Amino acid sequence: MINSKTSFLALIGSPVGHSLSPVMQNAALEHLGLNLIYIAIPCKENDFEIVINSLKKINCKGLNLTIPFKEKVMQYCDKISPAAKKIKAINTLRLNDNYEWEGTNTDVEGFIYPLKRINFSKKTGIVLGSGGAARSVIQGLINLKFSNIVIISRNEQAQRKLVRDFQGSSSLIKGLMNNDLEIIDLINSSDLIINTTPVGMKHIKNENLPFGLNLWKSLNSQTIVYDLIYNPLPTELIKYCNKKGCLTIDGSQMLVAQGAQSLKYWTNSKEIPFEIMMEAVKKHL
Ligand code: NAP
């Protein structure tokens, strides 16, 4: 029950109205019997500084950050984990005893969660899109020891920056524009393809598959296809790849796994109720 000692956790972003984080985090907090609640706070870009500084002063124990604040928040942190420094993005903050924000990134762990039991050493992974989520995905592929990572996207500048930022890691990284003819063979021969574009989300109309049907025609049934989108499920991409006989993974496991890691960071709880969080998410999809 909410009482005068209740503290809170929050998601900050724009928009946040579609987020399932409050649903899954509140289910977990209730299960753990903690006097904490989780809310979503919509925030305009210009108001971010005042909001992030004010939250330090009003019983807020931790935050999740989403679009467009994952990079911007770095300048307001007194301590940043090596994982977040490496990918230059923070999705989780906690307030320490000196009332300073400490930041980390749980998206990499969240992304890896459904892939952990598979051996990907010497394999090739394709990342579709070159935005914020692609950063966590690329770091995840490096952690999983992929030998080759290819980024396919439509934004040349963002793609170049991504390739530059991850150059020198143990995996060979290159970028291709989405109309490059090399892609057809690559799609056919890759081991894992990850969609990090928003194509497939409810509000993106008239686009069924990322970069159009032609890109997918050479898909091989041995390839695993991982779509970060979790709403609606199944996405058109997941349906198409299932029909082709591929193993598919949707974004719900990553959503819950990154949320579970954030909850661990805030509460130091050893037993995070993953299944309860997943059940709460599935009820709302
Ligand atoms: P972002 O920073 O805006 O990046 C999106 C990327 O997709 C950019 O490269 C963008 O290219 C590209 N793109 C946008 N619309 C496209 C289209 N119609 N066709 C082809 N490419 C397109 O967003 P993000 O933070 O990376 O998030 C991407 C998606 O992943 C979102 O839908 C988000 O909900 C999902 N996500 C899921 C999880 C999870 O836990 N399951 C976690 C993180 C993100 P331009 O630069 O040219 O626009």
Side-chain angles (χ1 to χ4, degrees), residues 130-133 154-155 196-199 201 207 211 228-229 251 254-255:
S130 48
R154 63 183 190 179
N155 183 332
T196 78
T197 79
V199 176
M201 270 176 94
E207 272 183 298
F211 302 118
L228 258 50
I229 306 298
M254 174 172 174
L255 173 75

Side-chain angles (χ1 to χ4, degrees), residues 82-281:
K85 265 188 199 156
K86 214 166 171 184
I87 58 170
K88 298 185 180 149
I90 287 176
N91 77 333
T92 309
L93 293 184
R94 69 179 170 204
L95 203 61
N96 67 20
D97 294 341
N98 300 322
Y99 293 88
E100 298 163 334
W101 288 123
E102 292 182 1
T104 191
N105 193 304
T106 66
D107 282 334
V108 179
E109 274 302 301
F111 165 69
I112 286 177
Y113 175 78
L115 302 170
K116 261 184 176 160
R117 295 204 187 100
I118 307 171
N119 180 1
F120 287 109
S121 82
K122 304 210 174 88
K123 304 284 188 194
T124 296
I126 295 181
V127 181
L128 303 177
S130 48
R135 287 189 169 268
S136 304
V137 167
I138 293 167
Q139 186 58 52
L141 297 181
I142 294 168
N143 295 358
L144 288 167
K145 305 207 179 332
F146 273 77
S147 58
N148 288 293
I149 300 169
V150 185
I151 304 157
I152 297 175
S153 72
R154 63 183 190 179
N155 183 332
E156 196 171 1
Q157 208 183 347
Q159 189 189 94
R160 276 213 201 123
K161 186 168 180 338
L162 260 188
V163 173
R164 214 173 37 238
D165 285 351
F166 286 96
Q167 211 100 67
S169 64
S170 52
S171 315
L172 201 66
I173 303 190
K174 77 168 182 178
L176 289 176
M177 295 310 292
N178 61 300
N179 54 3
D180 193 305
L181 294 175
E182 210 185 304
I183 290 175
I184 305 300
D185 283 344
L186 250 175
I187 291 282
N188 179 261
S189 60
S190 70
D191 302 286
L192 175 69
I193 303 175
I194 307 109
N195 174 38
T196 78
T197 79
V199 176
M201 270 176 94
K202 262 181 187 164
H203 64 266
I204 308 259
K205 289 193 181 132
N206 304 325
E207 272 183 298
N208 290 335
L209 304 180
F211 302 118
L213 179 63
N214 271 343
L215 182 125
W216 295 95
K217 281 185 175 159
S218 62
L219 183 68
N220 177 335
S221 65
Q222 300 303 306
T223 303
I224 303 173
V225 179
Y226 190 155
D227 193 351
L228 258 50
I229 306 298
Y230 56 82
N231 196 5
L233 285 183
T235 58
E236 290 304 316
L237 176 62
I238 293 279
K239 282 193 237 170
Y240 178 86
C241 299
N242 280 341
K243 264 193 206 150
K244 282 247 180 183
C246 300
L247 176 67
T248 56
I249 301 167
D250 67 53
S252 63
Q253 293 194 62
M254 174 172 174
L255 173 75
V256 176
Q258 62 79 28
Q261 285 293 325
S262 295
L263 190 55
K264 204 170 177 183
Y265 187 68
W266 295 318
T267 63
N268 290 320
S269 298
K270 288 194 178 74
E271 303 284 328
I272 298 296
F274 188 94
E275 290 309 326
I276 284 174
M277 295 170 86
M278 182 58 97
E279 239 172 72
V281 163

